Amino acid sequence: MIDPAQSLRGATVAPNSDKLGVPLTAEYADGLHMFDFRRYWHSFLERIWIVAICVLAGLFLALGNLARTPKLYQAHTVLEVEFQEPSFVPTADYATRTRSAFLASQEALRTIEQNLTNQTLLARVVRSEGLAQDGGPALLGQGVVANKSSSTTERTEPSQAANKTQNASGVTTFTPLEEALGRGMAGMVHPMIRRGTRLIDLYVTHGDPAMAQRLAEAVGREYIRNSIERRASSSEDALRYLLEEEERLKRNLQKSEAAANEYKAKNPDALQLGGGTAATGSQGAGAGGARGGLVEDNLQDINTKLTAARADQIRLEGQLQQVDQIGNNIDALLAIPGISAAPMVAAARSNIIQIEANITTLALRYKEKHPKMMAAKASLAEAKVKLREAVLAQRPILRNTLEQIKATEASLQQALQNQQGVAVNLNRTAIGYQELARQAETDRALYESVLRQIKDTNLAKDVKANAVSVIEHSPLPNFPVSPRPTRTILLGLLGGLAAGLAFVFGIDALDRSIKTVDQAESTLGLPVFAAVPDTTDEGPVSRLKRRSKAFRSSNYRVVVETPESPAAEAFRNLRAALSLLGPEAERKVSLFTSAVPNEGKSFTSANYSLALAQQGYRVLLIDGDLRRPNMHRIFRFPNARNNSDEDSAPGVTDCLVGEADVASAARQIPAGEIQLVDESIELTENILAATGGQLFVLAGGRRAPNPAEILAGPFFGQLIAKAASLFDRVVIDSAPILAVSDTLLMMPHVQTVCIVVRAAKTPRPAVRRAITLLAKSGIRPAGLVLNRLRRSRGVGYYYYYASHGYGKDEGAYSRGYSYHRRSKPDHEGNGA
């Protein structure tokens, strides 16, 4: 018995892979993370008609929008905001500084920008321009009726009365119609701060260019006018309050000055300490002021003398302490300033200096023993003795001087206490007067401040200036700003393109199928042996098919029926790819399966078997799908029942239960149904294809009641071993892996496993699950067959992998082969 597991034990499966059982190759790992641009490009080409429809829909929507949208014109006015409000009266009060600081900030610009769309301001514009007189059609293009009864009454009233409508507090009120028009106008006004400047661009859109210009001018003008009116109203209120406050402060000032004068008259000594005369201006000046200054001067003089006496006392005490420490050292005592400056000491020192100078003069004329020199030296010694006596006599003099200073300090201290008593008595009397004087001074300062504010306010209330001004007036707009045909159409096209791309890529993202060979290899990590294009749109079949009644309703055997087709060439590629997998002894038994039903495994098995037979092999095709056998219908066996899965002739089931053997149950396919050349070529004996190939088909036979149990026994292995000994190649068509367990039971007895995947239909998770089940069984599939691949050149799925039609009408698999051979003998051996 053949051991097919030898060729499968080398398969490796990633033990820790996220997808258990999926072979982990470099291509597979890269494919999970690599962006497949070709896949998305093919998806786009495949569904480009959806994108075209979406783009056309976007174009029609844009054209419809252009047809429905009314034309709008935009007027543009530029406002400038100064750093401070212009004023003809120089003021530096806190309110003015605060207002200037606010105007210089960015918040002021944003506040003005928001106020330009204020509904109250817009209602003012409606009233000033008389837009409510006709009910609003001129502004909004249709009548606005906020209150039918009130609006009807308002139209009959004079417009002047409507303009003067005010409530009891003096605030201007608006009619419901004016407020409604103001709200409707809010969507037309669009202010915008110009970045990096103090300019505000005011845009107003309207269907009428003249009305747009009129509204743009009116909004800026009414904002400036409203600001001036609010400032004037505020100034009037402030002036009214200041006048009332001036009257009150004037009465308080008169009362406080009268009280201070009355107290001074009753207490003449109240000004003895001075300092209170100025509190009442010129009143109270006279003798009292002089008396108050005398008391203060006496106190200051006594304090000065007392301070000087204390300083002398401290100085003398320090000098006496030095004298006591020095003792009788004349030179050290002379260093003390008090002793050296004494008159007796100074005279003695001057005498010594004169004698020394005389001795110096005599020394130039006489010698030391000369009488004059000796007399001069005796005088010098006597002068030094006198200096010593004068220095030593300064100690008692200093003590005597210190005692005199102490006595003087005591007398000054007594005089200071007496003068302070006098000042305290006067202070008690002056306290009441000082309080009255301070109150009068405070009232006078407040009164004068209010007078200044009244003067400034009275001058500034009539100033018609504002920090906001119009620096650029709006011209009459000539071209509409909305709708913009080019922009609208471009946006419609881009929107349609975006919607189409989103729809296409969304469908592709939701599509879990495998569409291309590259995607299959990168996703599943297995090579694709053949990419079989879809045969539903195949061209004309061969003459053999047209003349054969057995094949009139069949398009399964494309290798024979349409040998020039890309599908037939794909199966020849599959035959070549499987022949290169290894030694011939290890690839005799091949099994074709799929993850789910209707993938084309029977179609693949039949054509692969035909391709092997055409190469000259003796091939046995086994219908291993015991639940839904199909080979008896593909090859149109005469005793097969119509529209039935059961064949009356012996088949696989009969061989497995021992009622038939392989040799007798296998039915040979006629050579005319295998060869791809006709009789005219056969007669010429110029056939270059391999000869002697045979194809036997072992159909399913009768229906098995328990196929899984039958396959689990030893009989299927014996059947494969017997078939391998009788035939060159054994091809098995099995059941889907995820549908039933029959295929997994066959795996230990086969050598090569190929999984058939239907392009653009089979879910990737299903194929991964099938490969995982095979890996758990210790089986690694040899590769994939991508079936029913789209072959349209516009989509680009198939022609990327093969150029179908290559060599057509040049003798390759065609009935004109013999003619070309006879007419063009020099082309023999030249190939592409």
Side-chain angles (χ1 to χ4, degrees), residues 195-212:
R195 180 175 298 179
T197 66
R198 299 189 61 80
L199 302 178
I200 298 178
D201 295 304
L202 180 61
Y203 299 97
V204 178
T205 57
H206 196 272
D208 184 7
M211 179 60 71

Side-chain angles (χ1 to χ4, degrees), residues 290-514:
R291 293 177 61 188
L294 180 60
V295 173
E296 291 181 353
D297 292 343
N298 290 336
L299 285 174
Q300 185 176 2
D301 184 53
I302 293 173
N303 279 325
T304 302
K305 292 180 179 180
L306 182 59
T307 302
R310 289 177 177 173
D312 292 340
Q313 179 183 353
I314 294 172
R315 179 176 57 81
L316 291 175
E317 288 178 349
Q319 291 180 358
L320 284 174
Q321 186 177 2
Q322 291 180 355
V323 170
D324 292 338
Q325 292 176 355
I326 294 173
N328 295 328
N329 188 347
I330 301 303
D331 294 333
L333 291 176
L334 286 174
I336 298 173
I339 294 177
S340 62
M344 294 176 60
V345 176
R349 294 180 68 181
S350 177
N351 189 21
I352 291 175
I353 292 172
Q354 292 178 358
I355 295 173
E356 288 179 347
N358 189 22
I359 291 174
T360 302
T361 303
L362 294 175
L364 296 176
R365 297 175 61 186
Y366 306 105
K367 294 190 180 288
E368 293 291 333
K369 299 298 183 177
H370 193 276
K372 289 185 177 182
M373 287 290 295
M374 294 179 65
K377 290 181 179 181
S379 298
L380 178 60
E382 183 180 359
K384 289 182 177 181
V385 171
K386 291 181 178 180
L387 176 62
R388 178 182 178 82
E389 292 176 353
V391 170
L392 295 177
Q394 293 300 315
R395 181 179 299 170
I397 294 174
L398 290 175
R399 285 194 176 94
N400 186 24
T401 303
L402 179 59
E403 294 299 331
Q404 292 178 359
I405 290 175
K406 288 182 178 180
T408 302
E409 181 183 355
S411 63
L412 291 174
Q413 186 69 31
Q414 184 62 36
L416 179 61
Q417 292 178 357
N418 295 335
Q419 195 66 27
Q420 286 178 346
V422 174
V424 169
N425 293 331
L426 292 176
N427 189 35
R428 291 173 182 174
T429 305
I431 288 176
Y433 175 76
Q434 291 176 355
E435 292 179 355
L436 294 175
R438 282 196 299 270
Q439 182 63 37
E441 183 64 23
T442 301
D443 292 341
R444 179 174 294 278
L446 291 175
Y447 179 71
E448 292 176 353
S449 175
V450 170
L451 287 178
R452 288 192 299 270
Q453 293 184 23
I454 290 174
K455 180 180 178 181
D456 295 341
T457 305
N458 194 28
L459 292 175
K461 69 175 182 177
D462 296 329
V463 176
K464 304 298 183 180
N466 191 263
V468 181
S469 59
V470 179
I471 64 170
E472 182 179 337
H473 295 276
S474 173
L476 182 66
N478 297 322
F479 302 99
V481 295
S482 176
R484 298 179 181 177
T486 304
R487 178 184 176 186
T488 303
I489 293 175
L490 182 59
L491 289 178
L493 294 176
L494 292 178
L497 178 62
L501 292 177
F503 189 76
V504 168
F505 294 142
I507 293 177
D508 184 79
L510 296 176
D511 189 0
R512 307 290 292 172
S513 63
I514 299 173

Side-chain angles (χ1 to χ4, degrees), residues 375-684:
K377 290 181 179 181
S379 298
L380 178 60
E382 183 180 359
K384 289 182 177 181
V385 171
K386 291 181 178 180
L387 176 62
R388 178 182 178 82
E389 292 176 353
V391 170
L392 295 177
Q394 293 300 315
R395 181 179 299 170
I397 294 174
L398 290 175
R399 285 194 176 94
N400 186 24
T401 303
L402 179 59
E403 294 299 331
Q404 292 178 359
I405 290 175
K406 288 182 178 180
T408 302
E409 181 183 355
S411 63
L412 291 174
Q413 186 69 31
Q414 184 62 36
L416 179 61
Q417 292 178 357
N418 295 335
Q419 195 66 27
Q420 286 178 346
V422 174
V424 169
N425 293 331
L426 292 176
N427 189 35
R428 291 173 182 174
T429 305
I431 288 176
Y433 175 76
Q434 291 176 355
E435 292 179 355
L436 294 175
R438 282 196 299 270
Q439 182 63 37
E441 183 64 23
T442 301
D443 292 341
R444 179 174 294 278
L446 291 175
Y447 179 71
E448 292 176 353
S449 175
V450 170
L451 287 178
R452 288 192 299 270
Q453 293 184 23
I454 290 174
K455 180 180 178 181
D456 295 341
T457 305
N458 194 28
L459 292 175
K461 69 175 182 177
D462 296 329
V463 176
K464 304 298 183 180
N466 191 263
V468 181
S469 59
V470 179
I471 64 170
E472 182 179 337
H473 295 276
S474 173
L476 182 66
N478 297 322
F479 302 99
V481 295
S482 176
R484 298 179 181 177
T486 304
R487 178 184 176 186
T488 303
I489 293 175
L490 182 59
L491 289 178
L493 294 176
L494 292 178
L497 178 62
L501 292 177
F503 189 76
V504 168
F505 294 142
I507 293 177
D508 184 79
L510 296 176
D511 189 0
R512 307 290 292 172
S513 63
I514 299 173
K515 300 182 183 64
T516 64
V517 173
D518 292 342
Q519 185 181 7
E521 292 181 344
S522 63
T523 303
L524 304 177
L526 294 174
V528 176
F529 291 145
V532 183
D534 195 353
T535 60
T536 57
D537 54 350
E538 285 282 4
V541 298
S542 65
R543 184 178 62 85
L544 180 63
K545 176 181 177 181
R546 288 197 302 269
R547 75 177 186 174
S548 176
K549 296 182 180 179
F551 297 153
R552 286 176 184 174
S553 61
S554 173
N555 196 25
Y556 271 87
R557 293 171 288 180
V558 295
V559 175
V560 177
E561 297 169 0
T562 56
E564 301 176 12
S565 65
E569 190 63 34
F571 286 110
R572 288 189 282 270
N573 290 336
L574 175 63
R575 179 184 64 190
L578 292 180
S579 66
L580 300 175
L581 290 180
E584 186 174 352
E586 297 180 0
R587 50 183 171 82
K588 292 189 64 174
V589 182
S590 301
L591 181 142
F592 290 88
T593 184
S594 63
V596 293
N598 300 323
E599 299 293 282
K601 53 184 179 53
S602 300
F603 168 72
T604 304
S605 303
N607 284 278
Y608 175 65
S609 301
L610 289 169
L612 289 175
Q614 290 176 358
Q615 199 173 6
Y617 290 103
R618 179 179 171 86
V619 184
L620 175 63
L621 174 60
I622 300 176
D623 193 347
D625 190 354
L626 302 183
R627 302 176 189 253
R628 293 179 59 182
N630 202 30
M631 291 301 169
H632 62 283
R633 289 186 294 182
I634 293 177
F635 288 94
R636 293 287 182 176
F637 290 154
N639 53 353
R641 300 176 183 176
N642 294 331
N643 300 327
S644 174
D645 293 339
E646 186 176 355
D647 186 9
S648 60
V652 177
T653 304
D654 301 283
C655 293
L656 292 177
V657 297
E659 297 182 359
D661 59 355
V662 176
S664 61
R667 284 175 280 191
Q668 183 177 3
I669 304 302
E673 298 182 7
I674 299 176
Q675 298 300 328
L676 44 87
V677 293
D678 54 17
E679 296 84 352
S680 62
I681 301 179
E682 292 175 0
L683 294 176
T684 61

Side-chain angles (χ1 to χ4, degrees), residues 253 257 260-261 264 271 275-286 433 437 440-441 444 448:
L253 177 59
E257 287 183 346
N261 292 331
K264 185 178 65 173
L271 300 180
T277 304
T280 56
S282 60
Q283 301 177 10
Y433 175 76
E441 183 64 23
R444 179 174 294 278
E448 292 176 353

Side-chain angles (χ1 to χ4, degrees), residues 591-594 601 624-625 627 711 716 733-750 753-754 774 777 779:
L591 181 142
F592 290 88
T593 184
S594 63
K601 53 184 179 53
D625 190 354
R627 302 176 189 253
L711 293 174
F716 184 76
D733 176 31
S734 64
I737 296 176
L738 301 183
V740 293
S741 61
D742 299 358
T743 303
L744 296 177
L745 299 174
M746 298 179 183
M747 290 300 166
H749 311 291
V750 300
V753 178
C754 289
L774 293 177
S777 302
I779 304 298

Side-chain angles (χ1 to χ4, degrees), residues 82-85 94-108 198:
E82 300 289 345
F83 284 97
Q84 61 182 4
E85 292 182 345
Y94 175 76
T96 304
R97 293 194 301 271
T98 304
R99 176 67 176 171
S100 299
F102 174 71
L103 287 175
S105 64
Q106 193 69 19
E107 287 75 10
R198 299 189 61 80

